[in-house]
């Protein structure tokens, strides 16, 4: 992100504000209904910034470019007085910071430090071995405060023991107990009890992104391939949802649940945002119930191979509908013209069909959609007579809606969240969008490392292409 003005992007815990780390300090911007700049301060070049809800307490780590600054230093600051409350130095560079109302979690490459936020007393140190990306996620429910991090390579035996201790729970994650390789495993840790409570075998490859729902009941994961997004129940370890993001490898920058747990958003290096719906139709349990031949009728060895092969088999046989759009020259979207044209084209279509943005149409995209339609038809014809892992390849669960960010730099990073306010209730809706159409649009806020906030409209009933409603620069004075 060195080529961009923003060095770090992060939403606060309740998704009402975004914190921007800059080369000259930091800014905190309110992205809720009352859009506006909250505060801006000069400081060292910021590497990481973490807010504590909308309080004046923040935690920052400098990038270490300036004389006297170090990426090993953690500063707890008061934004009202612009003063440093305390400063801590760690053995190696700080890779991630997480704040809750009760705890501070500092992530190094091989350790996690857990502090009591009120007294800054060190409560526990957790060894994680190599974690170069600083992957870590926490839940913010005081009664269910969970921490998740990638499993260390030496934890195979621990995974088995943890699985055996939970084997009485129905439908527990079967692959954890038989794991011989745990590159894609994660540990769920109860911070209140200071104990690991579960091991989940999420992927065959290394994990690239993970995120808890706000209540800690769900966790979403993506591997470094970036093709599959999975959602697990944190009480049982059961895989509830599996989504196909794309077939070409890409880097997942962020995963984010909506506050009501109805959607998961994934941003990636392909300049796309995918919105996955966590509904009854998408649930794996309900998808299996629709099959005439149930999974119990398949051979035992076929059932055991379903989950193990899903990453590799689907990656080799599926087709993506988003990642290669940039290869075909398309009409560049403008804010006023693009949104109005999109809605005019949408209103003439079937009211139950997914929204299609005319500015994103291309020959390549039409071909991809046709191939996916053929795959779905083949799945309907043959899916009941094939093992579940083959039918899931023919008819994978894809995104409910998607966004293509209008940017040219492939290194652009982004984060996204759903604002649970419809366009009809918000002052930022477009004049050209009919009020009857805007009533059921949710706002998707996308913030990029260029310092731009994009506000898109998501049709809750139809999904499809999200429509650009507005955009703002967050770094201009």
């Amino acid at each position: 992100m060195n080529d961009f003005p923003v060095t770090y992007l992060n939403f606060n815990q309740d998704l009402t504000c975004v914190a921007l780390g800059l080369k000259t300090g930091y800014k905190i911007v309110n992205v809720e209904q009352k859009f506006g700049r909250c505060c801006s301060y000069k400081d060292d070049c910021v590497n990481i910034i973490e807010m504590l809800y909308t309080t004046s307490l923040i935690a920052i780590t400098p990038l270490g470019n300036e004389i006297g600054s170090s990426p090993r230093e953690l500063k707890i600051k008061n934004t009202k007085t612009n003063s440093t409350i305390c400063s801590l130095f760690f053995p190696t560079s700080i890779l991630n910071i997480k704040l809750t109302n009760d705890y501070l979690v500092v992530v190094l490459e091989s350790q996690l430090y857990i502090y009591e936020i009120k007294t800054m007393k060190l409560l526990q140190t957790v060894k994680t071995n190599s974690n170069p990306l600083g992957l870590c996620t926490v839940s913010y429910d005081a009664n269910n405060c969970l921490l998740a991090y990638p499993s260390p390579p030496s934890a195979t035996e621990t995974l088995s023991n943890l699985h055996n201790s939970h084997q009485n729970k129905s439908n527990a994650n079967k692959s954890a107990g038989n794991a011989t390789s745990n590159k894609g495993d994660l540990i769920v840790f109860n911070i209140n009890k200071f104990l690991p409570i579960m091991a989940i075998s999420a992927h065959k490859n290394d994990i690239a992104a993970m995120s808890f729902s706000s209540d800690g009941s769900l966790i979403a994961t993506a591997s470094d391939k970036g093709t599959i997004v999975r959602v697990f129940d944190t009480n049982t370890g059961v895989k509830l949802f599996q989504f196909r993001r794309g077939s070409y490898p890409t880097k997942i920058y962020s995963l984010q649940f909506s506050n009501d747990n109805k959607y998961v958003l994934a941003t990636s290096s392909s300049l796309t945002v995918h919105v996955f719906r966590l509904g009854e139709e998408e649930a794996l349990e309900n998808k299996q119930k629709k099959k005439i031949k149930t999974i119990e009728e398949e051979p035992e060895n076929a059932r055991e191979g379903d989950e193990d092969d899903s990453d590799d088999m689907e990656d080799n046989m599926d087709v993506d509908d988003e990642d290669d759009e940039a290869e075909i020259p398309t009409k560049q979207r403008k804010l006023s013209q693009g949104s109005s044209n999109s809605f005019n084209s949408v209103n003439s279509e079937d009211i139950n069909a997914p929204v299609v943005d005319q500015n994103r149409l291309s020959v390549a995209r039409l071909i991809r959609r046709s191939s996916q339609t053929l795959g779905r038809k083949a799945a309907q014809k043959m899916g009941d007579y094939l093992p579940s892992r083959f039918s899931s390849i023919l008819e994978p669960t894809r995104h409910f809606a998607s966004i293509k960010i209008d940017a040219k730099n492939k290194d652009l990073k982004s984060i996204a969240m759903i604002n649970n306010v419809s366009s009809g209730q918000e002052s930022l809706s477009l004049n050209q969008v009919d009020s009857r159409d805007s009533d059921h649009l949710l706002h998707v806020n996308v913030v990029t490392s260029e310092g731009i906030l994009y506000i898109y409209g998501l049709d809750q009933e139809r999904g499809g292409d999200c429509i650009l409603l507005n955009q703002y620069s967050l770094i201009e004075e």
Side-chain angles (χ1 to χ4, degrees), residues 321-322 325 328-333 341-342 345-346 349 354-369 404 465:
D321 65 340
E322 290 290 338
E325 276 188 30
I328 306 298
T330 57
K331 181 179 178 182
Q332 293 295 320
R333 143 176 269 164
N341 288 345
S342 299
S345 64
V346 164
E349 298 176 357
V355 175
V356 177
D357 186 348
Q358 296 297 320
N359 292 297
R360 291 174 60 182
L361 288 179
S362 65
V363 174
R365 200 178 191 207
L366 292 174
I367 294 174
R368 284 191 289 269
R369 287 185 179 276
K404 188 70 175 180
D465 296 339

Side-chain angles (χ1 to χ4, degrees), residues 174-189:
K174 295 182 179 180
S175 62
N178 300 321
T180 57
S181 174
N182 54 351
K183 290 177 63 178
D185 295 343
L186 62 88
I187 300 295
V188 179
F189 187 94

Side-chain angles (χ1 to χ4, degrees), residues 104-350:
L104 162 69
V105 180
V106 181
V107 184
L108 308 186
E109 184 172 353
S110 59
Q111 287 179 307
L112 300 174
Y113 290 82
I114 303 175
Y115 292 85
E116 184 181 33
I117 191 65
K118 293 180 180 179
T119 63
M120 289 304 296
K121 176 184 176 182
L122 178 61
L123 300 176
Q124 187 161 352
T125 302
V126 180
K127 291 185 178 182
T128 63
N129 285 349
S130 181
N131 181 17
L133 297 179
L135 293 177
C136 173
T137 183
V138 298
S139 63
Y140 303 111
D141 190 323
N143 299 321
N144 190 31
C145 192
L146 301 177
L147 166 71
Y149 54 89
S151 171
S154 61
T156 303
E157 197 171 309
T158 303
L159 289 174
S160 181
N161 293 335
L162 284 171
H163 170 70
N164 291 334
S165 66
H166 293 85
Q167 63 182 354
N168 292 331
K169 294 184 178 181
S170 60
N171 298 324
N173 192 335
K174 295 182 179 180
S175 62
N178 300 321
T180 57
S181 174
N182 54 351
K183 290 177 63 178
D185 295 343
L186 62 88
I187 300 295
V188 179
F189 187 94
N190 188 310
I191 304 181
N192 292 329
K193 298 179 180 179
F194 300 107
L195 288 173
I197 60 172
M198 184 176 297
I200 297 177
S201 292
H203 301 273
K204 293 187 68 176
N205 299 307
D206 291 328
I207 296 175
M210 63 176 77
S211 178
F212 278 116
S213 59
S214 59
D215 60 3
S217 63
L218 303 172
I219 186 169
T221 65
S223 73
D224 58 5
K225 278 190 176 181
T227 54
I228 298 291
V229 174
R230 292 181 171 130
V231 178
F232 297 88
D233 186 326
T234 58
N235 292 318
T236 63
V238 173
K239 182 173 65 176
L240 301 179
F241 300 91
Q242 175 169 299
F243 300 100
R244 161 64 57 184
R245 189 217 55 82
S247 57
Y248 295 101
T250 191
K251 184 175 182 179
I252 301 295
Y253 287 138
S254 71
L255 294 172
Q256 181 67 61
F257 283 88
S258 60
N259 284 329
D260 56 10
N261 291 352
K262 291 183 178 179
Y263 303 95
V264 171
L265 286 77
T267 65
S268 69
S269 59
S270 59
L271 300 180
T272 56
V273 181
H274 290 75
V275 182
F276 305 104
R277 183 174 61 180
L278 308 183
E280 294 184 359
E281 293 182 4
E282 293 80 8
L284 292 176
E285 180 181 4
N286 292 333
K287 288 172 72 71
Q288 291 300 320
K289 287 180 179 178
K290 293 180 181 180
K291 293 179 63 63
I292 297 177
K293 291 188 175 182
T294 63
I295 196 169
E296 284 78 9
E297 295 175 339
E298 299 176 22
E300 184 68 25
N301 57 353
R303 297 201 303 268
E304 292 176 355
D306 283 356
E307 188 166 341
D308 292 339
D309 296 341
S310 58
D311 271 339
D312 293 338
M313 295 182 66
E314 290 185 31
D315 287 349
N316 293 331
M317 299 181 65
D318 200 14
V319 188
D320 187 27
D321 65 340
E322 290 290 338
D323 292 348
D324 289 346
E325 276 188 30
E327 296 181 5
I328 306 298
T330 57
K331 181 179 178 182
Q332 293 295 320
R333 143 176 269 164
K334 294 182 180 179
L335 175 61
S336 58
Q337 183 180 3
S339 298
S340 59
N341 288 345
S342 299
F343 269 89
N344 290 337
S345 64
V346 164
N347 291 337
S348 62
E349 298 176 357
D350 180 4

Side-chain angles (χ1 to χ4, degrees), residues 33-104:
Q33 291 188 40
K34 297 179 181 179
F35 171 76
R37 186 174 293 109
C38 294
C39 64
S40 174
Y41 290 103
K42 298 291 183 180
D43 209 313
D44 295 334
C45 182
V46 173
N47 185 34
I48 302 171
I49 179 169
E50 174 82 355
M51 299 177 63
L52 181 60
Y53 291 91
T54 54
T55 69
S56 59
L57 188 71
I58 64 168
I60 63 172
T61 296
L63 193 60
N65 292 340
E66 296 86 355
I67 297 176
S69 67
S70 171
R72 299 186 297 110
E73 181 183 12
L74 172 69
K75 297 178 182 179
I76 306 296
K77 303 195 72 169
N78 187 321
T79 57
K80 287 185 178 180
T81 61
N82 194 23
S83 60
T84 301
I85 299 173
C86 69
S87 180
L88 299 174
F89 280 85
F90 292 86
T92 59
S93 296
I94 298 170
L95 302 179
N96 204 347
I97 304 170
K98 295 296 180 182
L99 281 173
T100 73
N101 282 324
D102 299 310
Y103 303 104
L104 162 69

Side-chain angles (χ1 to χ4, degrees), residues 1 4-11 18-22 253 267-268 271-273 403-409 411-416 445-456 471-475:
M1 292 178 77
F4 298 104
V6 178
T7 59
Y8 193 78
L9 298 165
N10 194 17
F11 289 114
V18 62
L20 307 175
L22 308 174
Y253 287 138
T267 65
S268 69
L271 300 180
T272 56
V273 181
I403 293 168
K404 188 70 175 180
I405 301 173
D406 187 12
K408 298 180 180 179
N409 195 323
D411 295 327
L412 184 79
K413 291 189 177 181
S414 60
I415 57 176
N445 293 344
V446 181
V447 184
T448 70
S449 51
E450 291 178 325
I452 297 176
L453 166 66
Y454 297 92
I455 301 178
Y456 293 87
Q471 67 183 60
Y472 303 89
S473 174
L474 302 181
I475 58 177

